[in-house]
Each structure stands twice: as structure tokens, then as C-alpha cells.
Amino acid sequence: MPRKAKIVEIPAIGELDRAAGHLSRQLAQALRKAIGKGELKAGDLLPSTRVLAGALQLARGTVIEAFEQLVAEGFFVSQPGSGTRVAPSLNVNTQPAAKPAAGESMPLSRQAEAFSRAGSQFTTLPAVPFAVSVPAGSTAPDDVWRRLGNRIRARGPGAPSGYGDPQGARPLREVIAEYVRKSRSVHCTPDQVIITAGTQQGLYLAAQILPDAGEAVWVEDPAYSGITAIFATACRDKQMIRVPVDAEGIDVEAGRRLAENARAAFVTPSHQYPLGMPMSMARRTALLAWAREQRAWVVEDDYDSELRYAGHPFPSLQGLDPVRVVYLGTFSKILFPSLRLGYAIVPDRLVDAFCGARQLMDRHPPSADQYVLASFMAEGHLDRHIRRMRTVYADRREVLINAIRRTIPPALARLQPCDQGMHMVLWLNAALDDRLVAREAGQRGVSLRAVSPMYGAGNARSGLILGLGGFSDQQIENAVQQLYLALVAVSRIA
Ligand SMILES: Cc1ncc(COP(=O)(O)O)c(C=O)c1O
């Protein structure tokens, strides 16, 4: 039998925080809680808004607003002449959720476990030497950037508006197409440029789009953990075939032996990450010949080729075979990583797939900074900034190399020669565990990443990544001294 409606007592609303404002929102929340706790039941007739307002010493409009909100949410129904009541059909579980027994916890999927591990692996290091990509002082784009930002965000296309193009803002795609053509011999039109939230997103999109489930992909060994973790977290680690890298870059013959019919290869040809050498021309030719033969894609992660200190960089792989290569670039190194803007340059055949995946992932990159960046590039500021950065980083590099030479004996560690980018690798004596050294140095105020986790099982070498960020000469000298002490401390227990 249906329960006869009665006017309920004024529910226990508890204290409303009058100083915090939004009283109608607070009241609606208190009424929802009363329903959840079973103090208000389905079909209950509520006191009139006038009575409730008087009892709670609120303006009547405040109560009306809270009631209207709860009607809109389906908690209350309101009929002219018969008042407002709790929806008769409301089915709220008023039983408190059972507490898990001691020691019992909700089971997590393998993916959830893998993502949690990746989260702890990728925590941002404190912005002290030798964290990578830290712009500070003379290495930040400062005033011009701020001025352009203020102007562009205030009016025009960078001001608040509706949804944008999933591919990215056209003016930015146009200047990027021109920039990569001139600086990296990349062949493309603006229609092939997809603006990304940095190369990390470009890698994620490529890993989602290029191979089908179960199809093999080649990944360098060692490699950037940002790519290996993508496959590991998506429960696709078995798809990932680690192909060894030697002094010329990825060993294409080894790749063929391991998985000839892989669907894609992820490589860092300009500046192998983390080792630092470019891929030789012979290897580039062999890799593209394999890709052509197997109808495979090549993903070129070109994360810092602008920062070259000697000689000319090799032109991009993409320029050698634009229908097979997905080219990924980023502004993280040459501008600053919190900008979160980069680009994927994809063969025509892949444009729709990248745009579709982008729509599902986050619709499109935030608009305002795309327009700021487009103007920054179109007005020539990026080129000037890169020229200045090259000089600053070349100096920092010299300071670092000299400080290591003076302070750290070769029996403990040796620098890998390298003439490009924002980091160098310091190889450690094989008896020293790089993770222990990184931890010990962390306690001495030095930020380091270990190289050994970047290798596949069984191949690891012990080393450290030394980032050349916006640190002063003095900071670098001090950090090298602390690193030396950390190496000595770990070698005592090795
Ligand atoms: C080899 C490599 N690829 C990709 C990235 C990702 O860069 P971002 O997502 O900031 O553009 C990095 C960052 O350090 C990197 O070292």
C-alpha cells in the first residue's frame, strides 16, 4: 500500500556556513544528505518554502532555489497546489556502504596497477641540476611571450570561444609546416599537421592508432620510458619488441630477426634517447627499406634536434619517406615543457584517424596558447630564441663537461660524448647501481634519472641522465661535487 504523504518535520540541516556564501547550494546538499541518510523518504511532503526559510533563517528565495535544483536533479517533485515532496519513485540506498574488512581491499585491474607504477616512475624531478628541460632565467622566453599572451588572450581567436578544431588551430599548423620544412627538411602541408599536447601525447596517439591489438612494434633498446610505459600500461607489453641500438642507431637486421612483420617502429633518429648518437645514413636507409617491404609505419620522435652544437643535423627521416613516417616534434625543449604543445606530422592517410583519436582523448588542444605560439613563430621570435638557447646550452655543456672532468675520476664514471640536446649520459662503473646513486644524490639536492630502467630485461647498463637546464654555472659546479660524494658513498657499499 502506498505510504500516505505527511508533512515531514524540518529535516536536520546542520550548520550552514553563512560566511562561505552559496547558501542555496549548501541547503541543497544538506537535503540530499538527509535523503541519503533516510531522514527524508520517498514521497515525503516537505514543509513549505516559507516555513523552511523561517525555521532556518534564510531568505525564501534561497530555499526556492535549492528546491528547484533538487527538482531538476529528480530528488524532489513539485506540483502547483500540492507542494513539494521527495520523488515517490526515488530509490536511494540508505544503508551505509559496508566497510572493507581489515586487510581486504578492492581488486585493481592489471592496467590500474600498471598505470600506478607508471605514475610513480614519471614524477617530475625537483627543478635543480640535473633535471631535464628546466627553463629558468636566460632560458625562458619571458617578456615577448608575456606581451603576446596578454594581447592574444584579450581579444580575437585566442579569447574564450566555443570548441576548436581537433587538428589544432590553422595559423599554428601553417607556421609549423613552414618551420619543419626549413629546419628539418620535413615534407608536409598544414593539413598533415596535428597539434598535440607534446610528444608524449603524439606517442600515445601513434601507439593507439598504428598497430592493431597483438601486432608487434619495434621499440629501441634502450628507449625513452615514455614509450615503453605506453605499451606496458595498456597490457600490450608482449607487442613491444625491444630492438638493440648500437653506435649507428637501431639495429635493423636484429629487428628483422626478432619480428620481421612488425607493424611499426618507434625510433629517435636525430639523437638516440638516451644514448645521444644520431642514426647513421646506412641505418636510415635500411629502416625505411624494411618499412617499405613490410608496409610498416615508422614513428620519428625528434624531441630536441634544434639544439645541436656542432656540425649540421641529419635531415629528418620523414623527408626521406613522407608516406610512411609519422614525425613528432615538441616545444618542450626549445620553449618550455609546461606549455604542453607539440605536433605530429602524419601521412595524409592517417590524418582522419589522428583527428578521431584526438576527439576521443581530449577533443582538441587548449586554444589560447596555440594562437600565442603561432604569433611567436610568425614574428620570428622562436628562431631568435633558439639561436640564443643554443649559445646558453653550449656554455652550460662546457661547464658541465669540465666540472665532471675535474671532479669525477674515470674509474667511477665517464661522460658519453654527444653534441646535441639538453642532456648528457654519464656511464657509471658497472659495480655501481644507478638507482642507488640517483637516490643518494637526491638526498644531497641533485635530481637524476637512472638509465638502467630504460633497457629491456637483461641488457641494462648503469648510467645517469644529466639535464642541462636553466641552471647557473655555480649550481652545476656544486651539483657535480654532490654527485661525486654520492658516487663515493655508493661505491663504499658496492
Ligand atoms: C625522447 C623523448 N621523447 C618524448 C618526450 C616527451 O616530451 P613532451 O611530451 O614534453 O613533448 C621526451 C621528454 O623528455 C623525450 O625525452
Side-chain angles (χ1 to χ4, degrees), residues 273-355:
Y273 191 93
L275 305 181
M277 67 288 190
M279 190 185 293
S280 71
M281 203 34 124
R283 285 291 166 80
R284 286 167 192 247
T285 310
L287 180 63
L288 291 173
W290 163 79
R292 240 168 266 142
E293 212 180 282
Q294 295 297 324
R295 307 180 71 196
W297 303 105
V298 174
V299 180
E300 174 174 20
D301 176 356
D302 202 21
Y303 59 101
D304 70 359
S305 59
E306 291 92 347
L307 298 169
R308 192 169 175 86
Y309 311 114
H312 293 290
F314 278 99
S316 64
L317 264 185
Q318 195 272 2
L320 299 177
D321 202 341
V323 297
R324 230 163 296 279
V325 179
V326 170
Y327 177 92
L328 302 178
T330 179
F331 296 98
S332 286
K333 312 279 177 188
I334 48 174
L335 280 173
F336 51 100
S338 65
L339 179 60
R340 302 317 304 144
L341 284 176
Y343 44 96
I345 294 179
V346 308
D348 286 325
R349 233 177 116 46
L350 286 173
V351 172
D352 288 347
F354 271 76
C355 288

